[in-house]
Amino acid sequence: MARSPAPARPASGSAAVPHRDLFTLDSPLHGEIRGERSLMAFPFFALSKNAWMKPLTYDHATVSIEVRPSASGVATIYDKEIVLYIASLMAAKLEAGEHVEQDFIFTAHDLFSVTGSNHSARSYNRLSEALERLQGTQIKTNIEAGGEGEEGFFSWLSEAKLHYSRTKSGERRLKAVKVRLCDWLFRAILLDRHVLDYAAAYFQLGPIERRIYEVARSTCEEELDLDLATFRLQIGYQNPLSNFRAALKQIVATDGIPDYHLELVEGDAGGAAEEGAPRRGRRAPQSRVVITPRPQPGESALSTTRAILESTESGESIDADPADADSPTPAD
């Protein structure tokens, strides 16, 4: 992933000062994009590019989430890029043994370079809108962070400011972005350390594909097998189940989820059973979603070598290739 040249940093130790100078930057990001596991596993963000004005809810098993919109809507999966970038800055600092605070100061240029956004004026306008939604969206959840729970609502960012200067012609020039990360997420990263890296191709995915990748990355070790209705709930898809099935069919056809293979096992083709419509007679089987990790390069050869070694040690014979059945066996 391309990085912009690193700006000059002040002497080490300045990050430990409680009130840092505004332009003691935490950017550029060194390392990969990473995210907190709970934010990957559960639907905290709207799957939309446009303003989503309806509340989001998730209540399944032992986890409950309620997300309320601000006047500008619920924070979207694209606004989440900023949260991931901040989490990555924090994780990198912790990994380097540096002191971390809840305030982060970075350049929009580095954010755009990391997430693959262009550096147009429209991107800067979208950044301002995204920060507003992240600060205005209200979240309530029973998921604990850092061994503590919270009653009531919080916002992803308790503070978000764009600092700029003016040129001689009076044009505004953005100098830095300053944000304050919420207590809940700060504790989760600092104390729980349940942080996972993201595939570089994540930012090229559509909204549903991004959530499928996140759910797979955070929950799938060998295989994830869920009925379609439960999977829709986990993804956070708000439209009817029939629409979700149609969207999944297209995603399955392209097979473009990084590191994971997605399969839709059809049950009731009409979808009436999953939608809750009354039916007579025996209930048709539900459609299911199966996700499996893709084999990594060299994994197959490694497995074969391991099997040969284990069989040799145990004295078992290895089946020969059928094409070699008539080949002479070398003498001992």
Side-chain angles (χ1 to χ4, degrees):
M1 183 180 296
R3 295 286 189 272
S4 56
R9 288 180 177 271
S12 59
S14 61
V17 179
H19 299 287
R20 298 176 298 162
D21 178 78
L22 172 60
F23 299 114
T24 304
L25 296 174
D26 295 301
S27 59
L29 173 64
H30 299 288
E32 300 302 319
I33 280 288
R34 302 179 220 180
E36 199 278 329
R37 181 174 289 171
S38 293
L39 261 65
M40 299 176 80
F42 300 107
F44 284 96
F45 295 83
L47 302 182
S48 173
K49 280 189 174 181
N50 303 317
W52 184 270
M53 305 306 299
K54 299 178 183 178
L56 304 177
T57 58
Y58 175 90
D59 194 351
H60 183 68
T62 61
V63 175
S64 66
I65 299 170
E66 181 181 353
V67 183
R68 293 181 180 177
S70 66
S72 57
V74 170
T76 72
I77 193 74
Y78 293 97
D79 302 336
K80 187 177 184 177
E81 294 179 357
I82 300 173
V83 177
L84 293 177
Y85 177 78
I86 297 167
S88 303
L89 288 173
M90 182 174 174
K93 289 169 75 72
L94 287 170
E95 199 170 70
E98 298 180 29
H99 176 77
V100 294
E101 302 172 4
Q102 285 179 255
D103 293 329
F104 291 87
I105 304 169
F106 56 89
T107 64
H109 184 278
D110 190 56
L111 169 66
F112 295 157
S113 297
V114 169
T115 59
S117 302
N118 60 49
H119 299 263
S120 66
R122 179 58 185 144
S123 292
Y124 285 89
N125 290 336
R126 282 197 292 261
L127 172 60
S128 178
E129 295 166 359
L131 291 171
E132 183 178 340
R133 283 189 293 269
L134 290 169
Q135 188 176 10
T137 297
Q138 296 287 297
I139 307 100
K140 183 178 182 180
T141 181
N142 65 351
I143 301 174
E144 296 180 354
E148 298 180 21
E150 290 187 6
E151 287 287 344
F153 288 84
F154 63 88
S155 299
W156 296 118
L157 304 176
S158 55
E159 179 182 334
K161 295 179 180 178
L162 297 174
H163 290 268
Y164 63 90
S165 60
R166 289 196 180 272
T167 63
K168 292 182 179 180
S169 61
E171 181 184 0
R172 294 203 318 180
R173 178 168 294 173
L174 182 62
K175 297 184 72 176
V177 182
K178 181 180 180 181
V179 299
R180 184 172 180 82
L181 194 61
C182 65
D183 295 344
W184 183 84
L185 186 52
F186 182 77
R187 287 199 315 272
I189 299 172
L190 179 65
L191 301 176
D192 296 334
R193 303 290 179 99
H194 294 160
V195 178
L196 299 172
D197 61 291
Y198 275 66
Y202 172 81
F203 297 109
Q204 282 72 58
L205 301 176
I208 302 174
E209 291 94 328
R210 290 188 181 199
R211 281 296 299 140
I212 292 173
Y213 171 79
E214 289 183 320
V215 169
R217 180 71 181 90
S218 59
T219 61
C220 180
E221 293 184 2
E222 295 183 358
E223 180 180 277
L224 180 64
D225 187 335
L226 293 174
D227 66 83
L228 190 62
T230 301
F231 190 62
R232 179 183 67 160
L233 185 66
Q234 197 76 19
I235 294 299
Y237 188 84
Q238 298 295 308
N239 292 325
L241 193 64
S242 57
N243 292 20
F244 185 53
R245 177 189 281 107
L248 281 187
K249 285 183 177 180
Q250 294 183 5
I251 294 171
V252 167
T254 58
D255 195 25
I257 304 298
D259 302 329
Y260 296 93
H261 175 70
L262 178 69
E263 183 181 4
L264 179 60
V265 182
E266 293 285 13
D268 177 17
E274 290 129 318
E275 294 285 7
R279 296 180 63 90
R280 294 182 179 180
R282 188 171 62 182
R283 186 184 178 103
Q286 293 183 333
S287 300
R288 306 192 65 79
V289 176
V290 179
I291 302 177
T292 52
R294 297 182 189 275
Q296 297 301 310
E299 215 172 68
S300 178
L302 182 62
S303 299
T304 301
T305 302
R306 186 181 295 115
I308 292 173
L309 291 174
E310 290 175 352
S311 298
T312 301
E313 290 172 358
S314 63
E316 297 177 2
S317 61
I318 304 295
D319 291 337
D321 189 314
D324 298 329
D326 297 328
S327 300
T329 302
D332 292 337

